[in-house]
Amino acid sequence: MNDLNNVTPELAAEHGLTADEFARAVEILGRTPNLTELGIFSVMWSEHCSYKSSKKWLRTLPTEAPWVICGPGENAGVIDIGEGLAAIFKMESHNHPSYIEPYQGAATGVGGILRDVFTMGARPIANLNALRFGSPNHPKTRHLVSGVVAGIGGYGNCIGVPTVGGECTFHKSYDGNILVNAMTVGIAPTDRIFYAEAAGVGNPVIYVGSTTGRDGIHGATMASAEFDDQSEEKRPTVQVGDPFTEKLLLEACLELMATDTIVAIQDMGAAGLTSSSFEMASRGGMGIDIDLDQVPMRETGMSAYELMLSESQERMLIVLKAGREDDARAIFEKWELDFAVIGRLTESGRMVLTMDGKTVADLPVAPLADSAPEYDRPHKPSPARPSITASDVAPQTSIRESLLTLVASPDLCSKRWIWEQYDHMVMADTVVRPGSDAAVVRIHGSNRALAMTTDCTPRYVAADPIEGGKQAVAECWRNLTSTGARPMAITDCLNFGNPERADVMGQFVGAVSGIGDAARLLDFPIVSGNVSFYNETNGNAVQPTPAIGGVGLIDDLDRITRVGIDQPDLAVIVIGTTTGQLGASLYLREIVGREDGAPPLVDLATERRVGDFVRGEIEAGRVRICHDVSDGGVAVTLAEMVLAGGVGITMSVRDTADHGWWFGEDQARYVVALEQKLVQTLIANAETAGVPAMQIGVSGGATLDLGTEGEIPITALREAAEGWLPTYMDA
C-alpha cells in the first residue's frame, strides 16, 4: 500500500487541505496517507462536503415541527402532507460548474437534485431553479444565460419532470461567478421513505446506474475554492449528464423500493463513491470493504484515486439485504442499467479499498465523515446604512415613465423566454404555471396540491444581512400565502463569497440569524439545504444570496387564487402599510442609478398577522385574485396583475404623485381584487385583525390608469415587459 506514498504537505495543499488539516489526517491514520487516501480526505473535508465553516451557525436554525418527518442531515427534507403522503424536497447549488460549462453544469445540477429526492423514495413532481447572472453588458452573460437555460430544460424535459417555477436576476457582482440553484419536490408514501443508514454486517453494497469515468474528478474541491483568471481550465472537473439514463435509474429505483430488499440507499453526488460510501457507513456506525475492480468503468486504466473521486452522473449506492442480490439485479438489468456487487458491510468501522488484489486505502470512517474540521471563523457585521425615503430622492421621471422602465428592466421583465423552454406541463398536474407568485402542482388523483417557490433579494442582504435574511423567508412565505397555501417548510441554498474573509463571514452569520428569526416566528422550519461558499473571482464576491425554497399545502384546489385581473368591476385593495421606503429598492437602482440605503425593515409579527389574514380571506372564498407586493412596489404589482389577466385598473387614489408610495418596497403587503359586494366584509375583517386595508381602484378597461399620473395601455406595458429578454438574447 505504501508504494503510492509520495504524499507531501505541498501536495496536500494542492488538494485544498491546510497544514493543520493535513497534520490532523496524519494523526488520525498514524501515518502519512497515500495518494488515494489524500484524495478522500480532501473531498470529505472540503467546504462543499463538510460544511466546516457553516456548521456552527446552521445548528441555530429551527428544523422541527409536528409535520416534519426528517430534517437536515439526510439527502432531502421530509414533511407530512396528510392522507398518508409526504413531500420530500431540497435545493442545491451547481454554481462553479455552470460558469465553466453552462450547459452541462446546469444539467447535472438538475440531475443531482432529482437523485437527492428520489433516493428517499419519492417520485419527483416538480423542478424549480433560482438563477443569478452578471451584468447584461458583460461579454459572457448572454452565453451563460443561453447555456444554463438550455441545460436545465434539456435535462428536466428529457426526464419528464416539469420545471414549474423559479427566478432569474442580473447584477454585475455575478459577472465572474453566476449562481445556479436547483430545487426538486417529490411525493412518497409516509411508510415508504428510505434513508442512507447502512446496517447489517455482511450485507452487500451495490453499485447501480451508469458507468464511472473521469469526468467530475475534484468537483467538490473546485466548489470549495474561489475562481481566478485560470478558472476556464477547470472544465475537466465538470460532470457530464445523461437524462435518459437518469430516467431509467429513477424508474428502476422506485421499482426496487416497492420490494422489501433495501437497507439503505444514497446517490453518488459530490465526491461520488467516496461521499456516498462514507456517509452511509458513518450513519450506521459500520465499516465497508470495497473491491474497486468490481466498479463498472467506461474508461480503461482508471486508478483507485480516480474511481473514488469521480463524479460521473446517474449512479447510486445501495445496501441490500443479504441474499436479495438476484432480485435486485433482475430489476436493473430490465432497465438496462449497470448492477455490481462491489463490497460488504463490516463491523470494523473502517473503509478498506482493494484493487488488483492489494489494499489501496484503509481509513477509519467516523473521523472522515463525522469529525471534519469545524471552524468558528472571524466575522464582522456589515456597516449600517441610512434609510432612504421618498423625500430623500428627487424624481427622475414621471411615475408613468418610471413604471415602463421598471417592467422592462432585466430583473422585472417577463422571463417567458426562459420558462417556455421548459416543459412545465408534463405529468399533467401543473395547476399554476411559471410566472405567478408560486407554482401549484396537484397531488395526483386528488383535489389537493403543493405550492412551491424560490425567493431571495440579494441587494437587501448586501445592505443588511439580518433584515435581508428575514425578508427572503418572509417573501417566500408571502408568495405561498398569495396562492392560498399554508406554508409548511423551507429548503435553502446559501450562496456567499470566501468565508475566510471576515466581512463575508459576517454576511453569512447575519443572514442565518435573520433566516432563523423569520422561520421561527412564521412556523416555517428549515428541513434541508446547502451552503455554497467561495462564490467570487479574484477577490470580488457575489452579492450574498441566501436563496429560500418554500413548500406549502393547499387543501382545496377550488380555493386557489390567480395573479391576473381578468374581469371588470372588481375592487382593487392594497393590504398592509405603505411608508415609501426606497433604500436598496429597484426604483433607486434602475431609475435613480444608486445602490445604497437600508432595505425595508421586516416586522415579523406584522408579516404573520397580515399573511394569516389574507390566507383566511382566500379560504373563506372572498379573495380569488391576489399578488404580493415586492420588487418595484405597488406600481409594479398592479402592472403584473393587469398583464397576467388582460383587464385594466382605474385608480381611485388620484391625489398621490409620491414615487415612494408607488415604488417603495415596504414588506407585509398584498394587493387583492374581489367583488364589490364583498369589500365591506373584508375591510371590517381587516380592522378586526388589526390589518390596514384600503381600496385603491376598480378593474376594467384596457389601460392601467394611474389617476393624475396618466394611463398606460396594457399593450404598451406588455411590449415593455415582454420585449427585453428576447431582444437581448437575439442580439
Side-chain angles (χ1 to χ4, degrees):
M1 168 167 147
N2 290 324
D3 58 348
L4 297 176
N5 197 1
N6 56 356
V7 170
T8 64
E10 291 76 21
L11 184 60
E14 290 177 16
H15 279 69
L17 294 176
T18 67
D20 287 343
E21 289 169 350
F22 181 59
R24 183 172 180 174
V26 172
E27 181 183 359
I28 286 170
L29 289 181
R31 57 177 170 79
T32 301
N34 64 37
L35 182 61
T36 299
E37 293 167 337
L38 175 67
I40 290 171
F41 269 104
S42 76
V43 293
M44 290 300 294
W45 287 5
S46 68
E47 191 73 62
H48 189 74
C49 291
S50 73
Y51 295 88
K52 58 191 175 186
S53 298
S54 59
K55 281 189 286 192
K56 170 184 171 68
W57 305 104
L58 297 179
R59 292 191 189 104
T60 67
L61 294 171
T63 60
E64 298 179 349
W67 53 91
V68 174
I69 295 173
C70 178
E74 267 290 343
N75 287 289
V78 187
I79 59 171
D80 191 332
I81 56 173
E83 299 186 7
L85 296 176
I88 300 179
F89 57 99
K90 189 180 183 182
M91 179 161 54
E92 280 200 340
S93 61
H94 229 224
N95 305 333
H96 287 55
S98 297
Y99 182 81
I100 294 170
E101 212 304 298
Y103 184 95
Q104 290 295 347
T108 52
V110 173
I113 197 64
L114 282 163
R115 288 194 302 280
D116 278 340
V117 168
F118 74 72
T119 193
M120 297 195 71
R123 178 171 290 280
I125 64 165
N127 290 327
L128 300 92
N129 52 77
L131 311 177
R132 314 286 172 185
F133 295 104
S135 167
N137 297 323
H138 190 275
K140 286 198 69 170
T141 298
R142 189 179 288 104
H143 160 72
L144 292 168
V145 173
S146 177
V148 165
V149 171
I152 291 170
Y155 208 100
N157 296 354
C158 289
I159 199 172
V161 177
T163 300
V164 298
E167 52 185 336
C168 173
T169 61
F170 298 80
H171 189 268
K172 62 185 178 183
S173 72
Y174 305 104
D175 281 351
N177 195 128
I178 64 174
L179 302 184
V180 176
N181 296 170
M183 176 177 170
T184 292
V185 181
I187 293 179
T190 53
D191 60 354
R192 301 294 293 173
I193 296 169
F194 292 82
Y195 299 97
E197 183 177 320
V201 173
N203 278 338
V205 178
I206 311 297
Y207 172 118
V208 299
S210 190
T211 52
T212 295
R214 291 188 170 94
D215 56 315
I217 292 175
H218 275 303
T221 308
M222 177 189 70
S224 305
E226 64 182 81
F227 279 165
D228 56 30
D229 292 331
Q230 281 71 51
S231 294
E232 294 287 347
E233 298 172 6
K234 296 180 179 178
R235 281 186 192 277
T237 63
V238 178
Q239 310 92 328
V240 177
D242 179 356
F244 299 104
T245 299
E246 179 113 334
K247 173 63 172 174
L248 300 177
L249 184 62
L250 163 64
E251 298 301 339
C253 286
L254 292 180
E255 184 173 338
L256 183 66
M257 288 166 172
T259 69
D260 186 29
T261 61
I262 296 177
V263 174
I265 182 168
Q266 171 81 38
D267 83 296
M268 293 192 216
L273 185 54
T274 290
S275 64
S276 56
S277 58
F278 272 89
E279 288 172 7
M280 283 207 298
S282 69
R283 286 174 183 149
M286 305 296 295
I288 304 181
D289 290 347
I290 293 179
D291 180 359
L292 292 176
D293 291 316
Q294 304 306 312
V295 174
M297 304 176 214
R298 67 168 174 263
E299 299 184 45
T300 59
M302 292 191 70
S303 66
Y305 178 97
E306 292 170 326
L307 289 170
M308 291 304 292
L309 271 61
S310 168
E311 293 183 11
S312 294
Q313 296 292 285
E314 294 90 35
R315 302 179 301 160
M316 307 283 269
L317 200 63
I318 304 173
V319 177
L320 291 179
K321 293 180 179 178
R324 302 301 297 274
E325 295 93 327
D326 289 344
D327 296 337
R329 185 189 304 275
I331 290 172
F332 283 91
E333 288 182 348
K334 182 185 81 171
W335 290 99
E336 299 182 348
L337 294 166
D338 279 285
F339 178 100
V341 180
I342 66 169
R344 299 278 170 181
L345 297 186
T346 70
E347 56 187 355
S348 68
R350 300 186 71 83
M351 184 72 62
V352 180
L353 309 178
T354 59
M355 193 171 187
D356 297 328
K358 300 176 182 178
T359 298
V360 293
D362 186 347
L363 298 161
V365 170
L368 272 91
D370 305 327
S371 303
E374 181 174 335
Y375 298 121
D376 183 2
R377 296 198 184 276
H379 54 92
K380 64 179 181 182
S382 300
R385 296 186 186 183
S387 62
I388 296 176
T389 62
S391 61
D392 301 316
V393 180
Q396 307 293 303
T397 62
S398 68
I399 301 298
R400 182 184 188 280
E401 291 305 313
S402 294
L403 178 54
L404 284 168
T405 299
L406 280 172
V407 298
S409 67
D411 279 15
L412 289 179
C413 72
S414 168
K415 301 306 187 294
R416 183 186 302 275
W417 182 91
I418 293 175
W419 56 257
E420 282 191 340
Q421 297 185 54
Y422 306 151
D423 188 339
H424 48 272
M425 295 304 293
V426 65
M427 300 174 74
D429 280 321
T430 305
V431 178
V432 176
R433 307 178 186 189
S436 297
D437 286 326
V440 177
V441 179
R442 182 190 307 273
I443 298 171
H444 191 71
S446 76
N447 199 43
R448 301 192 306 143
L450 294 179
M452 54 200 76
T453 183
T454 65
D455 292 288
C456 183
T457 310
R459 63 184 186 277
Y460 290 174
V461 191
D464 184 329
I466 295 175
E467 291 301 316
K470 289 181 190 175
Q471 193 274 342
V473 174
E475 184 173 352
C476 179
W477 194 81
R478 276 200 307 274
N479 279 328
L480 296 173
T481 294
S482 293
T483 68
R486 183 170 76 256
M488 298 284 284
I490 290 171
T491 182
D492 60 34
C493 194
L494 309 178
N495 307 271
F496 290 79
N498 186 341
E500 298 165 48
R501 290 170 41 193
D503 58 335
V504 170
M505 199 64 208
Q507 292 174 334
F508 180 83
V509 171
V512 169
S513 173
I515 289 168
D517 288 346
R520 271 183 287 272
L521 197 140
L522 298 174
D523 285 335
F524 207 18
I526 296 137
V527 298
S528 62
N530 171 235
V531 176
S532 176
F533 278 131
Y534 297 97
N535 290 291
E536 57 182 77
T537 299
N538 294 327
N540 296 314
V542 300
Q543 284 187 323
T545 311
I548 302 295
V551 172
L553 180 64
I554 296 172
D555 289 315
D556 182 0
L557 272 171
D558 294 333
R559 292 293 171 95
I560 66 169
T561 63
R562 58 190 182 275
V563 167
I565 293 181
D566 56 4
Q567 65 186 89
D569 300 321
L570 298 176
V572 178
I573 295 175
V574 63
I575 297 174
T577 302
T578 299
T579 65
Q581 294 294 314
L582 289 175
S585 67
L586 275 184
Y587 176 87
L588 196 67
R589 190 179 86 188
E590 299 293 333
I591 306 301
V592 186
R594 293 168 52 183
E595 294 191 54
D596 61 335
L601 294 177
V602 181
D603 184 321
L604 293 168
T606 299
E607 196 75 61
R608 180 68 185 261
R609 182 170 62 254
V610 175
D612 287 348
F613 166 75
V614 169
R615 194 179 316 104
E617 293 298 298
I618 293 170
E619 291 172 352
R622 280 182 286 276
V623 170
R624 284 286 165 267
I625 297 172
C626 182
H627 192 14
D628 85 305
V629 180
S630 55
D631 289 344
V634 169
V636 169
T637 301
L638 295 171
E640 290 173 345
M641 294 175 81
V642 302
L643 283 171
V647 174
I649 297 172
T650 298
M651 299 295 290
S652 56
V653 179
R654 306 182 72 87
D655 58 353
T656 178
D658 179 359
H659 49 296
W661 187 89
W662 288 103
F663 301 112
E665 296 178 4
D666 297 277
Q667 300 296 290
R669 293 186 298 163
Y670 303 77
V671 173
V672 302
L674 65 161
E675 295 178 53
Q676 299 275 7
K677 65 182 181 181
L678 300 174
V679 170
Q680 291 307 312
T681 300
L682 183 140
I683 296 291
N685 290 345
E687 185 174 352
T688 300
V691 172
M694 178 178 69
Q695 183 168 349
I696 60 172
V698 178
S699 68
T703 68
L704 177 55
D705 182 347
L706 304 175
T708 57
E709 300 306 310
E711 58 182 55
I712 309 174
I714 296 177
T715 52
L717 277 174
R718 194 173 308 283
E719 182 179 352
E722 299 278 356
W724 184 83
L725 190 53
T727 301
Y728 173 72
M729 293 307 297
D730 286 344

